[in-house]
Amino acid sequence: MVLLENLRIALATLAGNKLRSFLTILGIIVGVAAVVAVVSLVQGLQYKVAKELQGVGATYIAVDPKTQRSQVPDAVARQVKLTWEDGLAIQNTIPGVDLITPAVIGLAQVKYLDRPYQPAAVVGVNEDWQDVTNFGVDRGRFVSRIDLENRRRVVVVGEKLVTELALGANPIGKEIYVGKFTATVIGVMEKKGQGLGLDYDDLAFVPYDTAIALFGRAAKDRVRLRIKAHDTSMVEPIKAGIGALLRTRHKIAPSDEDDFQIQTQDEILKSAGNILGYVTMVVAGVVGIALLVGGIGIMNIMLVSVTERTREIGLRKAVGARRQDVLAQFLIEAVTLSIVGGGIGLGFGYLLGVAVAGFMPAWPPAHIPLWAALLAFGFSGVVGVFFGSYPAAKASRLDPIEALHFE
């Protein structure tokens, strides 16, 4: 009952000085809103990344070329090559490789009749792409082995391309331009939405050889390899085997670093989590300054409140209030101010996260986990306790006789 009464008094005091209370908790509102906005954006992205990587399965392995930095200052970095021939060697040599596909990614305009459009990317693959990545067609069919062997000019488009090019309800069989080549639409990919900074519905898939002809000879030396292991127990042995094979094929000296990067599903997820975690930590550190300012503001206003209510404190002590009763009253007021600020900041932060996510192309929806909301309230309460302790202690130590004579 005493706690509820103190809480009622704290809320009445806050409501009685609305403008002053708002200015007092403004720092808390800004700090919490900034943290919550960043966390909601980062968690939304992390949730999307995790969902997508779980979709491709735990047997997924990605091999990508990377820039080989020279140890000599001002020297030009060595040109790194990762080719489909490397991929075929992996397929034919490494036990446990179930499926493998090249991925040549570039930009090219597509056009149907008089409607040009620039998709997010044109991707050159083989017939195993949809099984390796668990991303298949909704209508029609995907690129086949026969398409590759006969060098057919075919294309599989995403739903967004169907809309942007006005291909109609039945786009299968229509001829469109992909760069300088004409290609027959043979399929429409299933709708997958946005993620990892990319709109999957805004992609066009062509046979690997078509992509090489489209993007030039240099694209042939910068192929990405996507692999599906036979089962999860083979992932690590396959990774080790690929590393040894590519170092041999690329003639890398024992003292030199790899000119390629191999990542499993767990490693990709961990890397993404680490990057996003660092972003959150940096922003949280900066926002901590705003929370510090907000806490100082609460302490200052509580000190003013103690001065303004000196006679009230003296009267309470004169009629029997104990020191701990006064201490609790002012401490609860400080915590209430802080938690109210945290609640307002939580709401504003979520709305800000939703607005930013909606404004940024290909960014997944904002997501606030329960722990983030509890942390916002908990941290606000801690700020209130920490910065409200001194004013509350000062109020509790007032002499009732001197307080009653205070003017």
Side-chain angles (χ1 to χ4, degrees), residues 8-26 29 297-298 301-302 304-309 312 329-330 333 336-337 340 344:
R8 185 193 66 79
I9 293 172
L11 292 173
T13 302
L14 193 152
N17 300 278
K18 294 183 179 64
L19 181 59
R20 188 173 74 176
S21 298
F22 175 75
L23 294 176
T24 301
I25 62 177
L26 186 58
I29 293 173
I298 287 177
I301 206 67
M302 290 304 298
V304 172
S305 181
V306 169
T307 302
E308 289 178 345
R309 296 159 64 187
E312 174 193 329
Q329 177 187 346
F330 281 86
E333 285 188 21
T336 301
L337 270 171
V340 169
I344 297 173

Side-chain angles (χ1 to χ4, degrees), residues 69-76:
R69 298 185 181 278
S70 174
Q71 301 299 320
V72 181
D74 299 325
V76 178

Side-chain angles (χ1 to χ4, degrees), residues 219-371:
K220 194 173 184 180
D221 294 333
R222 301 288 292 178
V223 175
R224 307 179 189 197
L225 303 174
R226 299 296 179 257
I227 300 166
K228 182 178 181 182
H230 185 68
D231 57 60
T232 54
S233 65
M234 297 297 296
V235 170
E236 288 303 322
I238 288 173
K239 180 182 175 182
I242 292 173
L245 176 64
L246 291 182
R247 286 187 68 87
T248 300
R249 287 180 58 86
H250 295 186
K251 297 180 174 59
I252 300 174
S255 59
D256 291 341
E257 295 181 356
D258 295 338
D259 61 1
F260 54 87
Q261 182 178 22
I262 309 172
Q263 287 187 299
T264 63
Q265 179 210 50
D266 289 341
E267 289 170 338
I268 297 171
L269 185 58
K270 185 178 179 180
S271 296
N274 288 339
I275 293 171
L276 297 176
Y278 290 144
V279 172
T280 304
M281 287 173 60
V282 170
V283 174
V286 174
V287 167
I289 298 173
L291 293 176
L292 177 64
V293 172
I296 293 172
I298 287 177
M299 182 171 66
N300 287 337
I301 206 67
M302 290 304 298
L303 288 171
V304 172
S305 181
V306 169
T307 302
E308 289 178 345
R309 296 159 64 187
T310 299
R311 287 178 62 83
E312 174 193 329
I313 296 168
L315 184 60
R316 287 197 64 191
K317 283 194 168 186
V319 296
R322 297 169 298 173
R323 178 178 176 180
Q324 55 264 40
D325 295 329
V326 177
L327 178 70
Q329 177 187 346
F330 281 86
L331 196 57
I332 288 172
E333 285 188 21
V335 172
T336 301
L337 270 171
S338 189
I339 289 180
V340 169
I344 297 173
L346 179 64
F348 274 121
Y350 177 70
L351 293 176
L352 180 61
V354 170
V356 172
F359 178 76
M360 296 173 65
W363 195 277
H367 171 72
I368 297 183
L370 179 60
W371 65 262

Side-chain angles (χ1 to χ4, degrees), residues 89-108:
I90 291 170
Q91 187 175 40
N92 296 329
T93 307
I94 308 298
V97 173
D98 196 14
L99 298 170
I100 184 169
T101 177
V104 178
I105 303 174
L107 297 176

Side-chain angles (χ1 to χ4, degrees), residues 107-128:
L107 297 176
Q109 188 183 73
V110 296
K111 184 179 180 181
Y112 176 63
L113 300 178
D114 60 343
R115 294 180 68 93
Y117 178 66
Q118 180 74 51
V122 176
V123 188
V125 297
N126 71 7
E127 73 278 9
D128 292 330

